Amino acid sequence: MPYKRLIPHCRDTQLLLSQAQDTSLSLLTRARIRMHLWTCTACTRFSQQLSFIRQAMQRFDKE
């Protein structure tokens, strides 16, 4: 099994955040994402933007 970094790179984190919108991630993966978000402002903003878009689409769907 290839070595995985404890804290993923931005590209990996953004991919995982996108995947989390459609499927549930393992506890370990969620913890790795959280650790990255503690240290990366850009990915934190990306996560917030994904949440905003998801909420907007849910509201749009209801109308």
Side-chain angles (χ1 to χ4, degrees), residues 4-8 12-13 15-17 19-20 23-37:
K4 289 186 177 181
R5 289 174 43 89
L6 183 58
I7 300 175
D12 298 328
T13 299
L15 177 63
L16 290 168
L17 286 167
Q19 289 174 352
T23 186
S24 61
L25 302 176
S26 71
L27 179 62
L28 178 60
T29 300
R30 291 192 317 263
R32 291 175 67 225
I33 291 170
R34 188 171 298 245
M35 284 190 293
H36 180 87
L37 293 178

Side-chain angles (χ1 to χ4, degrees), residues 26-51:
S26 71
L27 179 62
L28 178 60
T29 300
R30 291 192 317 263
R32 291 175 67 225
I33 291 170
R34 188 171 298 245
M35 284 190 293
H36 180 87
L37 293 178
W38 283 338
T39 62
C40 182
T41 305
C43 287
T44 299
R45 278 191 226 122
F46 180 78
S47 178
Q48 292 168 344
Q49 290 169 348
L50 282 177
S51 295

